[in-house]
């Protein structure tokens, strides 16, 4: 790990994409836009979920950060350095697993890592440490071909850890894993953050895979970032739902609608579902101030899944 902090790395973001664009020429000679006005940041010490449907630009964004794809426009800074121009200054500070690991199937996990370690100039200790971190010490001497998919992916993470990076970049590391292996991978990411202070960016097209570990989510659609937020802030912003049950539905409706809240009567119950323009607590204060007291109140916390689906849907609606 580098102990020299770069002077211009004062901000809390390790990585910043600003207005990045990239399009590819397809085999048919068409231009395929992969990134368009793409801006996001990766806060230090966080696990960042880069979420979006297939084809939304996640891999292109991560490859651009690693210098594997050259953007057409915009800027990317990693550790305060512009990339790809100064990639050599930051290469060892980033470890990556993109598009599955490439290992020699007839060799053991340990041997594979040693060979990679020689390329990086890292010693046996780094290999043993990486195997230990990803929970593969027990399988170090088994041949790679006998590994389960989950073990293969974790060996890929171990390879990414060999240079002692501060930022780990994982592109769809949970793709195709069974639920137990997904859980193992999540635990591994948490361990890297909590025990090693690492920053992790992990892409996925399946929210459920990452929502339990992420501190921050960036949602991408058609190459654009449509949401870039810390999880607590995101949930707080979307907590404007309230369900009230009360005898005097009509009075409640009048009071709430007069103040701009959207009210839907729940059929068959003496209940109103209120989508507030401020927050649930505010709507409740309004009711009681007018002498309308509900029998029952439920403040409906939004789930990240609601937010993900809504963000993708809203972006579709407002797309040019
Ligand atoms: N090398 C390439 N040549 C042509 N088109 C590409 C290439 N790489 C990506 N694309 C296109 O760019 C868009 C974004 O792709 P990608 O970054 O792989 O998305 P994701 O990782 O979110 O699935 C897609 O439409 C994809 O077909
Ligand atoms: Mg991809």
């Amino acid at each position: 790990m580098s102990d020299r902090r770069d002077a211009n790395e004062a901000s809390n973001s390790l990585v910043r994409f600003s207005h990045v664009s990239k399009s590819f020429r397809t085999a048919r000679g068409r231009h395929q836009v992969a990134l368009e006005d793409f801006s996001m940041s990766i806060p230090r010490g966080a696990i960042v979920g880069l979420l979006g449907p297939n084809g939304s630009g996640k891999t292109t964004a991560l490859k651009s950060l690693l210098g594997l794809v050259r953007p057409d426009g915009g800027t990317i800074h990693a550790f305060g350095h512009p990339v790809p121009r100064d990639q050599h200054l930051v290469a060892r500070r980033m470890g990556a697993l993109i598009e599955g690991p490439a290992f020699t199937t007839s060799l053991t996990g340990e041997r594979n890592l040693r060979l990679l370690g020689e390329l990086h100039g890292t010693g046996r200790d780094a290999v043993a440490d990486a195997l230990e971190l990803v929970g593969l010490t027990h399988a170090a001497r088994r041949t790679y071909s006998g590994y389960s998919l989950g073990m293969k992916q974790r060996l890929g993470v171990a390879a990414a850890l060999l240079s002692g990076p501060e930022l780990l970049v994982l592109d769809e590391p949970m793709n195709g894993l069974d639920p137990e292996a997904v859980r193992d991978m999540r635990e591994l990411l948490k361990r890297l953050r909590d025990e090693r202070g690492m920053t992790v960016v992990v892409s996925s097209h399946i929210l459920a895979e990452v929502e339990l570990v992420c501190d921050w989510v960036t949602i991408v659609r058609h190459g654009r970032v449509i949401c870039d937020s810390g999880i607590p802030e995101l949930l707080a912003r979307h907590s404007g739902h309230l369900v009230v049950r009360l005898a005097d539905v009509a009075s409640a409706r009048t009071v709430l609608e007069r103040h701009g809240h959207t009210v839907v009567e729940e059929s068959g119950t003496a209940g109103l579902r209120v989508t507030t323009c401020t927050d649930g607590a505010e709507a409740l204060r309004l009711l009681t101030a007018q002498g309308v007291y509900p029998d029952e109140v439920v403040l409906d916390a939004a789930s990240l899944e609601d937010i993900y689906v809504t963000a993708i849907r809203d972006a579709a609606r407002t797309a040019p």
Side-chain angles (χ1 to χ4, degrees):
M1 190 175 291
S2 159
D3 51 14
R4 184 183 64 82
R5 295 274 170 233
D6 298 288
N8 57 350
E9 199 190 300
S11 91
N12 201 35
S13 294
L14 286 194
V15 170
R16 210 177 273 282
F17 288 75
S18 300
H19 311 290
V20 174
S21 59
K22 174 70 189 175
S23 53
F24 293 100
R25 194 182 287 276
T26 65
R28 290 183 187 158
R30 279 197 317 121
H31 271 286
Q32 174 65 53
V33 174
L35 298 176
E36 194 174 7
D37 199 20
F38 181 97
S39 300
M40 73 173 281
S41 51
I42 299 176
R44 183 190 299 280
I47 298 177
V48 176
L50 181 60
L51 295 166
N54 282 323
S56 55
K58 304 180 297 293
T59 300
T60 305
L62 298 180
K63 282 185 169 176
S64 303
L65 169 62
L66 298 165
L68 303 172
V69 156
R70 180 176 286 270
D72 302 325
T75 58
I76 305 174
H77 285 84
F79 303 96
H81 296 282
V83 292
R85 199 194 75 186
D86 288 350
Q87 204 82 39
H88 60 288
L89 295 177
V90 295
R92 291 182 66 89
R93 298 173 74 175
M94 300 194 277
L97 176 60
I98 303 246
E99 287 175 345
F103 291 114
T104 307
T105 54
S106 58
L107 298 179
T108 65
E110 185 177 41
R111 187 82 194 114
N112 267 297
L113 288 193
R114 288 227 178 113
L115 288 173
L116 282 174
E118 281 167 19
L119 287 177
H120 284 291
T122 49
R124 292 186 169 216
D125 286 355
V127 169
D129 186 43
L131 285 167
E132 170 79 38
L133 257 176
V134 304
L136 282 178
T137 305
H138 69 286
R141 303 269 161 86
R142 279 164 55 186
T143 51
Y144 181 77
S145 57
Y147 278 17
S148 67
L149 191 56
M151 291 162 76
K152 287 176 176 169
Q153 286 295 72
R154 279 185 285 138
L155 191 71
V157 175
L161 293 171
L162 283 180
S163 67
E166 293 151 72
L167 172 66
L168 189 61
V169 177
L170 305 174
D171 191 22
E172 304 252 9
M174 312 199 192
N175 221 355
L177 300 188
D178 62 41
E180 198 184 333
V182 168
R183 199 191 54 202
D184 289 347
M185 185 63 78
R186 279 200 296 254
E187 291 307 313
L188 170 58
L189 302 189
K190 273 195 232 171
R191 211 159 52 238
L192 293 172
R193 177 194 58 192
D194 298 340
E195 294 175 14
R196 302 286 168 124
M198 288 183 69
T199 305
V200 181
V201 53
V202 50
S203 77
S204 178
H205 63 288
I206 301 170
L207 171 72
E209 287 179 346
V210 296
E211 78 164 295
L212 296 173
V213 286
C214 290
D215 306 299
W216 189 276
V217 287
T218 302
I219 303 176
V220 196
R221 187 177 179 284
H222 290 336
R224 288 175 182 271
V225 173
I226 57 174
C227 171
D228 190 28
S229 171
I231 300 260
E233 296 83 350
L234 195 62
L235 294 176
R237 243 191 285 140
H238 285 77
S239 63
H241 286 282
L242 172 78
V243 176
V244 290
R245 294 195 204 293
L246 68 186
D248 193 357
V249 167
S251 301
R253 177 186 273 276
T254 309
V255 169
L256 291 166
E257 286 183 342
R258 198 189 306 138
H259 289 85
H261 305 290
T262 309
V263 181
V264 177
E265 205 157 327
E266 292 197 321
S267 59
T269 66
L272 291 177
R273 172 166 286 273
V274 186
T275 303
T276 75
C277 49
T278 47
D279 63 69
E282 172 58 26
L284 196 56
R285 267 195 298 278
L286 202 60
L287 285 178
T288 52
Q290 300 292 321
V292 182
Y293 291 93
D295 301 320
E296 191 189 336
V297 177
V298 183
L299 282 168
D300 207 3
S303 75
L304 198 53
E305 185 167 10
D306 294 336
I307 295 168
Y308 181 55
V309 171
T310 309
I312 300 263
R313 210 180 280 148
D314 286 353
R317 211 171 286 140
T318 55

